Amino acid sequence: MTQMTLSRSAASLKSVRSQDQGRNVAADALRAYLNSRPTLSASACRSCHRRFYSAQPAPQSDHDGTPNVQNLQDEQSGYAQWKKQRLANKEFFTSLLSSAATKRDAKAYISRLKSPSKKISAAQPAATSTSMKAQSSVNVGNLFSRSRAAEQSPVFTQFKDEEQTVEEVETLSVAVVKINNVSTMAENILSGVAQTLASLSRLGMVPAVVVEEPDQADDNHRRELLTHSADRLVNALDQVSESGARKLDNCFRLGPDGRPEIFLQKLVTRPLHKGRIPVVVPLTFSDQDQRVVSIAANDALLALTRELAGLSFNPTTGGSLREAEEKGLPLRKQISLDRIIVVDETGCIPSTKSHDQKHVFVNLEQEYSRLQEELRSSTDSAVSQRHASNLKLFEDALRMLPHSASGLLTTPLEAANTARLTDDEPSNVGTRRQKNPLIHNLLTDKPAYSSSLPAGRLTQDSAMASATTSTFVKRGMPLTMLPNPDAHVWTAASTPRLKLTDGRIDLDRLVYLIDDSFNRKLDVEAYLKRVNDRIAGVIIAGDYEGGAILTWEKPPGASDDDTSRLVPYLDKFAVLKKSQGAGGVADIVFNAMVRTCFPNGVCWRSRKDNPVNKWYFERSRGTWKIPETNWTMFWTTPGLLEKPNSQTFPDYEAVCRTVQPTWADGKKLVD
């Protein structure tokens, strides 16, 4: 689209932007990518705008005073196309505005669209690139100006922003999507879902969609229903996407192991590289029966995932697994499968234990078995077999992908959350349009809100608690808690106490984690001398990507034998720099600490100028700036200030005042 056209489109969105103040997509980074993607082909632009926006006089007709019917038809067609594109732009930009990505999120998003041939400073968006300037035909003005509130959205980081470089690659990012029950979906919901899928493609992640319908007694009827659903979705996508969609109903065959596999790889990859959205019908050809039969949508999605991940191979006799994996390497260089998305009416994974009755984030490595058992044993009518089936689908699919890949489970209504759908429906005065979970997830790779927020915080903000019916899923990381709280409850009276020199702890890696997280060197000998006889427990996330050391601290004046006054204290909370602000590492460790290890409360301190304090503030039940010190005290203990004549708060403050730092870097910081 020309600069004049999109400038007009941007101007038309001023009213939308005024309603969406406080929302932000950190467009200093996003603008570079959007500017490099013209919305219409050159021929389409010429047909649309030669008549309406040319600075030259309109051409004169050869027939004096007689209108040229062909010219009128061309003008009407061009105007209709322009109007359609104008509406699409409005929906696209409004969806971005409502997703409210921060500057940090935008940097991470751009880094996933990187190119190995070029390095750019993260502080200076790729828009400064000469090649992108040459390609750009889009002028979005100041549509993407950042809001202060979004910029200050707290993330876990223990060091100030440093200059980083981002690289750009030409690898095509792909999301595999399963959509349930398209045949009965309302027209406006289907249109909204199609608009969201088109927006994902426009933002650099092309979806490949598998349709799913309920099982039918008659397989012929089910095949007809699946084909009808695919046709409906393709037609809806053609209405909102310039590149359109393509139905694939002949891409599977049954492999030697009885599982479906992609018959010909190019059937799927060619549309993706052209920006067309493949809509896959879960039908396969059976060599045994010599006929086409329907298969489960989950099996079709897994076969598609294996193919796009470069894992769909059949080692020949005498061939090694390594040789077979190398055959898939060229495809993995061309296509990066980043997301598994399920759009299902049943919605997010339910929880019988959490305050809001839903799992907003699932760490599969840690929680999969427990969640499956919880779903199987639940008698709640809101829990269905489809929840367990979808959870298993994420487990099987993400196992084939890198750790950076993620999954999202949401409802059709949330997936259809577009500007058009919202504008057509009445809303209460002051009602804020919720985030579209698919767009938000693409830009941030995070759930709609942090899973480590306490129940009290969600109760105070009912809008946040009800803001999503989506579950964000990561392959995640294992979590080690020493001692195991299931076998030994962490109490002050427990003996013998754990030591950091225990053979189950890699002390060197733990020290490196602390040094890297705090950007300071720990005096290991002094630290061990201080804490080794008072360790309450240690939490380690993944391969020492994050962790916490918790101690029992004696307040001044307390008796050595009085274990009732020992204070549960978070002595060290550390996350590797590369994992801070992303991946959910901090949330995983914090959740384990407050929900499993110390459900009755824990306290800690942080310097008043520590950037992580905003993150701590949201997750604590209370804070106190300790007078005449540079410390802020935090706690998660319920009702700490509501107990008259209680010694707990003074003991917390006394411990936070008197714990001595043990750093070896020689830095002189005011405490």
Side-chain angles (χ1 to χ4, degrees):
M1 228 172 160
T2 64
Q3 288 188 352
M4 183 178 296
T5 305
L6 199 49
S7 294
R8 289 172 180 255
S9 297
S12 70
L13 291 178
K14 286 183 178 178
S15 60
V16 175
R17 186 183 172 206
S18 65
Q19 297 170 6
D20 288 329
Q21 286 296 334
R23 301 175 183 177
N24 172 45
V25 289
D28 277 351
L30 293 182
R31 184 189 290 112
Y33 182 68
L34 297 176
N35 283 354
S36 68
R37 294 177 66 85
T39 55
L40 288 176
S41 64
S43 61
C45 287
R46 285 194 296 270
S47 67
C48 285
H49 306 301
R50 180 189 299 119
R51 176 65 183 91
F52 296 112
Y53 298 106
S54 174
Q56 303 298 324
Q60 299 297 319
S61 172
D62 293 336
H63 306 280
D64 296 337
T66 304
N68 187 311
V69 175
Q70 183 62 45
N71 286 344
L72 287 176
Q73 291 177 343
D74 290 344
E75 290 178 4
Q76 290 172 354
S77 174
Y79 178 75
Q81 188 175 4
W82 170 83
K83 188 174 180 181
K84 173 183 174 183
Q85 187 63 47
R86 185 168 176 264
L87 178 60
N89 286 338
K90 176 184 175 182
E91 294 172 347
F92 177 68
F93 290 124
T94 306
S95 293
L96 290 178
L97 287 168
S98 66
S99 294
T102 64
K103 181 178 179 180
R104 181 184 298 273
D105 294 328
K107 287 181 180 179
Y109 164 67
I110 289 297
S111 72
R112 296 193 292 270
L113 303 170
K114 50 191 179 176
S115 171
S117 61
K118 196 179 293 185
K119 289 188 177 182
I120 323 168
S121 169
Q124 297 177 349
T128 58
S129 168
T130 305
S131 62
M132 282 194 173
K133 284 182 178 179
Q135 296 175 10
S136 174
S137 62
V138 179
N139 177 15
V140 294
N142 63 352
L143 177 65
F144 288 125
S145 59
R146 288 194 296 271
S147 71
R148 182 178 178 184
E151 279 297 298
Q152 295 179 347
S153 177
V155 294
F156 184 89
T157 177
Q158 289 173 292
F159 61 99
K160 294 186 178 180
D161 289 339
E162 298 177 359
E163 190 77 8
Q164 298 177 356
T165 57
V166 250
E167 300 178 348
E168 300 173 33
V169 287
E170 298 177 357
T171 305
L172 179 66
S173 294
V174 174
V176 176
V177 185
K178 184 185 79 167
I179 303 180
N180 178 264
N181 241 351
V182 175
S183 62
T184 60
M185 201 174 287
E187 286 294 338
N188 63 330
I189 299 296
L190 181 60
S191 177
V193 171
Q195 182 66 58
T196 297
L197 295 175
S199 295
L200 289 181
S201 180
R202 190 173 176 186
L203 280 167
M205 181 174 286
V206 184
V209 184
V210 178
V211 294
E212 180 181 43
E213 292 294 333
D215 289 336
Q216 304 289 326
D218 183 3
D219 191 64
N220 290 331
H221 179 61
R222 185 166 188 268
R223 293 203 308 270
E224 292 175 0
L225 192 60
L226 289 167
T227 302
H228 170 67
S229 296
D231 289 335
R232 280 197 77 198
L233 184 56
V234 168
N235 291 336
L237 287 165
D238 286 341
Q239 294 298 314
V240 296
S241 172
E242 181 189 356
S243 299
R246 180 179 178 182
K247 182 175 75 173
L248 301 180
D249 56 2
N250 60 344
C251 60
F252 293 113
R253 67 181 176 191
L254 290 179
D257 57 359
R259 297 186 305 178
E261 61 183 22
I262 298 296
F263 173 68
L264 185 62
Q265 185 185 100
K266 291 183 178 179
L267 287 174
V268 179
T269 57
R270 277 181 177 173
L272 290 172
H273 283 294
K274 293 179 180 179
R276 302 188 73 182
I277 299 175
V279 177
V280 178
V281 188
L283 302 175
T284 185
F285 181 78
S286 171
D287 289 329
Q288 182 178 0
D289 298 333
Q290 291 295 303
R291 67 188 185 95
V292 175
V293 296
S294 63
I295 56 175
N298 284 7
D299 292 339
L301 185 144
L302 292 174
L304 193 58
T305 301
R306 278 192 296 271
E307 188 68 36
L308 295 178
L311 301 176
S312 184
F313 49 77
N314 294 307
T316 56
T317 303
S320 67
L321 180 63
R322 181 178 178 181
E323 292 173 345
E325 287 179 338
E326 288 176 351
K327 291 181 179 180
L329 187 60
L331 180 63
R332 290 196 293 273
K333 289 183 177 180
Q334 298 173 26
I335 291 178
S336 172
L337 182 49
D338 301 310
R339 296 288 192 282
I340 304 295
I341 299 172
V342 175
V343 181
D344 194 307
E345 297 165 343
T346 56
C348 64
I349 302 296
S351 171
T352 58
K353 298 178 181 179
S354 65
H355 174 79
D356 56 353
Q357 299 295 298
K358 56 193 174 187
H359 288 283
V360 68
F361 171 59
V362 173
N363 173 20
L364 290 172
E365 285 279 4
Q366 177 197 0
E367 302 177 272
Y368 176 73
S369 298
R370 178 177 59 81
L371 285 182
Q372 284 288 18
E373 179 60 31
E374 182 181 325
L375 292 172
R376 284 194 296 267
S377 61
S378 175
T379 57
D380 191 335
S381 59
V383 179
S384 72
Q385 292 183 350
R386 289 240 297 275
H387 288 120
S389 175
N390 286 329
L391 187 61
K392 186 178 188 306
L393 176 64
F394 285 118
E395 165 76 5
D396 294 341
L398 292 177
R399 286 287 174 192
M400 295 185 256
L401 303 179
H403 273 84
S404 58
S406 61
L408 182 70
L409 173 60
T410 191
T411 63
L413 185 61
E414 283 210 314
N417 188 359
T418 66
R420 178 186 301 176
L421 187 63
T422 305
D423 292 345
D424 289 345
E425 294 181 346
S427 62
N428 296 325
V429 176
T431 298
R432 261 181 138 185
R433 194 164 66 85
Q434 296 175 0
K435 299 172 184 176
N436 182 303
L438 275 70
I439 303 296
H440 175 80
N441 177 251
L442 169 61
L443 297 178
T444 68
D445 197 29
K446 296 177 184 177
Y449 60 87
S450 173
S451 61
S452 65
L453 288 174
R457 186 77 62 191
L458 294 177
T459 302
Q460 294 168 16
D461 190 348
S462 58
M464 181 184 293
S466 61
T468 183
T469 54
S470 304
T471 297
F472 178 70
V473 184
K474 276 278 193 181
R475 179 175 168 185
M477 57 193 66
L479 195 68
T480 302
M481 292 176 278
L482 300 172
N484 185 347
D486 293 332
H488 301 91
V489 179
W490 293 12
T491 65
S494 298
T495 55
R497 289 191 178 144
L498 179 74
K499 295 182 181 294
L500 294 184
T501 51
D502 189 288
R504 294 170 292 177
I505 299 174
D506 189 329
L507 183 59
D508 290 340
R509 300 186 70 183
L510 183 61
V511 170
Y512 175 81
L513 166 63
I514 295 170
D515 291 349
D516 182 73
S517 180
F518 286 86
N519 213 22
R520 303 182 69 182
K521 285 288 185 182
L522 186 70
D523 185 337
V524 179
E525 184 177 348
Y527 185 68
L528 291 178
K529 184 177 179 180
R530 190 186 79 75
V531 303
N532 240 358
D533 290 327
R534 60 185 71 185
I535 296 291
V538 176
I539 302 171
I540 300 169
D543 200 19
Y544 287 81
E545 294 176 60
I549 300 174
L550 298 110
T551 60
W552 293 110
E553 299 291 340
K554 186 182 74 171
S559 168
D560 291 341
D561 299 328
D562 188 1
T563 58
S564 65
R565 288 188 61 186
L566 290 180
V567 171
Y569 181 70
L570 173 58
D571 192 84
K572 291 287 184 288
F573 189 90
V575 177
L576 290 177
K577 285 181 182 177
K578 67 179 183 179
S579 301
Q580 291 184 11
V585 179
D587 284 333
I588 290 170
V589 176
F590 197 90
N591 280 342
M593 178 181 72
V594 300
R595 298 181 183 179
T596 305
C597 301
F598 279 130
N600 295 323
V602 62
C603 75
W604 67 96
R605 72 182 185 183
S606 175
R607 286 186 170 84
K608 292 179 181 178
D609 57 350
N610 192 339
V612 81
N613 286 352
K614 294 178 182 178
W615 193 87
Y616 283 150
F617 176 80
E618 285 197 343
R619 284 150 185 82
S620 65
R621 290 181 180 269
T623 67
W624 169 248
K625 293 183 179 179
I626 302 176
E628 301 177 359
T629 73
N630 192 36
W631 297 113
T632 296
M633 181 175 78
F634 299 85
W635 65 87
T636 62
T637 309
L640 181 64
L641 301 178
E642 299 172 4
K643 302 173 183 177
N645 304 320
S646 172
Q647 186 63 34
T648 305
F649 181 85
D651 284 350
Y652 278 15
E653 181 184 356
V655 165
C656 289
R657 277 182 180 273
T658 56
V659 169
Q660 294 299 310
T662 50
W663 300 106
D665 55 12
K667 291 182 181 179
K668 301 297 182 181
L669 299 177
V670 178
D671 291 336

